[in-house]
Amino acid sequence: MTYSGEVTVGGPADVHELKDLMITKIAVGPMDNNAYLLRCRATDEQLLIDAANDAHTLLGMIGDDGIASVVTTHRHGDHWQALAEVVAATGARTYAGREDAEGIPVPTEVPVDDGDTIRVGQVELTARHLVGHTPGSIALVYDDPHGHPHVFTGDCLFPGGVGNTHKDPKAFARLIHDVETKIFDALPDETWVYPGHGNDTTLGAERPHLPEWHARGW
């Protein structure tokens, strides 16, 4: 089956099969959050991005192999409702952006800064610190050596715009600056974007609209 990235709460997961990494996307909870399970194909080690909600569903997706780590993209409550239960069941290490860690009720074992590397088996992910939606939001970039990059953006970048900055002009200016300089300027159009809610997109699909985002201020 061809990966589409279109998932609904209560529906099946969708699997993006890359040469070195398998990415399983599922939607959970009343705010239609996306959770992503990454599996290194060489070692079978797994990492979960955002234990957002519905621990039972997430643990079923994780399966008997468990997870080595779980990354919380930011401190907003809809992204960590199942974190305590998932960590209790799996013993996973917890990662989050340093500036958001204190806002997450499950202790962060590994605070993450811009440019840090997070590993899942033999696969490396690079963290990018994006300020504006929250002080410590992070995106994770997988630069696939066999293809184009993939980036997990949390709530900082969606199809059609950057994340909510609650009509704060300074927060919007900071977020769009960070998204432009650390994501759009650093990665090619083919880069696949996996957001915290809703459907996937590519940087190429969004890049032409950056001037519109600047003009409207959100």
Side-chain angles (χ1 to χ4, degrees), residues 108-171:
T108 296
E109 296 176 62
V110 186
V112 178
D113 296 310
D114 189 59
D116 283 356
T117 296
I118 300 173
R119 299 183 64 90
V120 51
Q122 297 179 4
V123 169
E124 290 189 351
L125 308 169
T126 302
R128 302 317 313 247
H129 179 205
L130 307 172
V131 181
H133 183 66
T134 66
S137 290
I138 54 173
L140 298 178
V141 179
Y142 170 52
D143 192 359
D144 186 355
H146 309 289
H148 54 73
H150 300 254
V151 57
F152 303 86
T153 56
D155 283 2
C156 287
L157 177 62
F158 296 98
V162 296
N164 190 352
T165 51
H166 306 285
K167 299 182 179 180
D168 180 340
K170 291 182 179 179

Side-chain angles (χ1 to χ4, degrees), residues 26-27 42 44 56 66 101 121 123 195 203 214 216:
I26 199 164
D44 287 333
H56 177 76
V123 169
L203 292 187
H214 276 279
R216 74 189 186 196

Side-chain angles (χ1 to χ4, degrees), residues 45-71:
E45 183 172 297
Q46 296 190 122
L47 174 151
L48 182 67
I49 299 175
D50 283 345
N53 209 303
D54 192 355
H56 177 76
T57 293
L58 295 181
L59 290 169
M61 177 176 68
I62 290 165
D64 293 339
D65 289 342
I67 51 173
S69 46
V70 56
V71 179

